[in-house]
Amino acid sequence: MDVRTVWRQWLTRHDRVRDALPAVPLIVIAMAATAVGKSEWHEPRWGEVVWTALSCVPLAVRSLWPLQIALLTLAGDLTLMAVASHMSPAPAASLVALYTLALLGDRRTAWAVGLAAAVAITGVYAATHSDSVVGGASLLRFDFAVAATALGRTVRSRREHLAEARARAERAERMQEEETRRRVTAERVRIARDLHDVVAHHITLVNAQAGVAHHLMRANPDQAYEALAHIKENSRAALDELRATVGLLRQPDDGPGTRAPIPRLADLDALAEGFRASGLSVGVARRGTPAPVAPSSELTAYRIVQEALTNTHKHASATRADVVLDYGPHSLRVTVTDDGRPGVPKGAGPGHGLTGMHERASAVGGTVTAGPRLEGGFQVVAELPLSLDPATA
């Protein structure tokens, strides 16, 4: 921290010293001005120096009562000019007080007092020194009073502009921090949904296939061996998708090969095959004219199907589920139905699957409805846009 900063901080903590500080150069200037002769230096006129010092005493509280101090110093300087015309010191204390009033007071009061003081100082000086009101010396004092007021208003305007700019910068910084936190929260929720979908799907299949293997281990070792093979495949698929999800947290320069391909609608057949291996018959059908789907909508559709089939296998006594992709002109309808009946869930209690579906669909501008069917079973219907508008994308 430099000396200037330390000095400013010290003055900020000592208001009276800061207010009285202008008196020092004023007294020094008064001594020098009264010691200058026409051809040589002489002893200062101590009467004028003492009067200058006395007139500066009220300045010690000028920031507390700027209007009162301006009027008091102005009255003192005008009195000196009227009763001691042989002394012609500049109304220095009044100028400092006018500057302070313009700096701390309101604009109307500052200019009213400043102009009145300029006229009064000019008139009294002209009357007591037999000078013209428009004479050089008189106008100089008029200019001094107006300049002090104008300088005070200019400094105040500059400080207000700086304070406003600082407030705008702080407000922009807070908004940026809030936006960053919002984006981090949204990204955390999205990754949590991905992890939930991946883990719930694959662990459900592994659990089901492990149960099949355990049941058939003694009675039919060949089928048990096949179930164990499916467990191995699903475990590897789970690890690949977990690696892909966690890979989203990597930096761009982490090197190639750190991210697995994102699941696509073309992978639904492989997804259905995994459920078939665990005992749930799954059919996949496509209607309409297949059209290009935005990557976000495609991933959302895949995850919704994955979560719906996982819920069917985990929470319903179903033997079959059907997945239908219906391509429209501007949207893709995804329907997943099963023939199960509500009952005691096979796994843990209800989780965040349906909530995750709604969040995923809303994120791309789509909707999800889910509920039991009248003819039995459960149905999930998602309406997703084929292409995203720039704001959603």
Side-chain angles (χ1 to χ4, degrees), residues 50-69:
V50 171
W51 176 259
T52 300
L54 292 176
S55 65
C56 290
V57 172
L59 297 180
V61 290
R62 59 192 174 96
S63 63
L64 294 178
W65 304 291
L67 177 60
Q68 292 83 343
I69 297 304

Side-chain angles (χ1 to χ4, degrees), residues 22-82:
V24 176
L26 293 181
I27 296 174
V28 173
I29 293 174
M31 292 176 59
T34 57
V36 176
K38 294 183 178 180
S39 58
E40 61 181 3
W41 289 80
H42 55 77
E43 185 178 359
R45 295 193 292 272
W46 293 110
E48 295 185 22
V49 174
V50 171
W51 176 259
T52 300
L54 292 176
S55 65
C56 290
V57 172
L59 297 180
V61 290
R62 59 192 174 96
S63 63
L64 294 178
W65 304 291
L67 177 60
Q68 292 83 343
I69 297 304
L71 297 177
L72 178 61
T73 54
L74 179 62
D77 287 335
L78 291 176
T79 301
L80 176 65
M81 294 169 61

Side-chain angles (χ1 to χ4, degrees), residues 137-206:
S138 300
L139 287 180
L140 184 63
R141 283 160 173 76
F142 181 90
D143 294 340
F144 279 163
V146 174
T149 303
L151 179 61
R153 295 305 305 175
T154 301
V155 173
R156 173 167 180 158
S157 298
R158 181 176 180 274
R159 290 182 180 179
E160 290 176 348
H161 288 318
L162 290 177
E164 184 178 355
R166 190 179 299 111
R168 285 198 304 267
E170 293 175 353
R171 185 164 57 253
E173 184 177 357
R174 287 196 302 270
M175 293 177 62
Q176 183 176 6
E177 291 176 354
E178 293 174 358
E179 177 65 15
T180 301
R181 286 195 297 268
R182 186 191 66 78
R183 294 192 177 190
V184 169
T185 300
E187 184 68 8
R188 187 181 68 248
V189 171
R190 188 185 66 79
I191 294 175
R193 287 199 305 262
D194 281 342
L195 290 176
H196 171 269
D197 293 343
V198 172
V199 173
H201 164 63
H202 289 289
I203 296 303
T204 297
L205 294 184
V206 168

Side-chain angles (χ1 to χ4, degrees), residues 191-204 234 237-245 263 302-303 306-307 310 360:
I191 294 175
R193 287 199 305 262
D194 281 342
L195 290 176
H196 171 269
D197 293 343
V198 172
V199 173
H201 164 63
H202 289 289
I203 296 303
T204 297
N234 280 287
L239 291 176
D240 291 341
E241 291 204 32
L242 283 174
R243 189 180 298 111
T245 302
Y302 180 91
R303 292 302 188 196
Q306 183 183 54
E307 180 61 29
T310 300
R360 282 185 177 279

Side-chain angles (χ1 to χ4, degrees), residues 80-94:
L80 176 65
M81 294 169 61
V83 302
S85 58
H86 63 283
M87 298 172 58
S88 57
S94 298

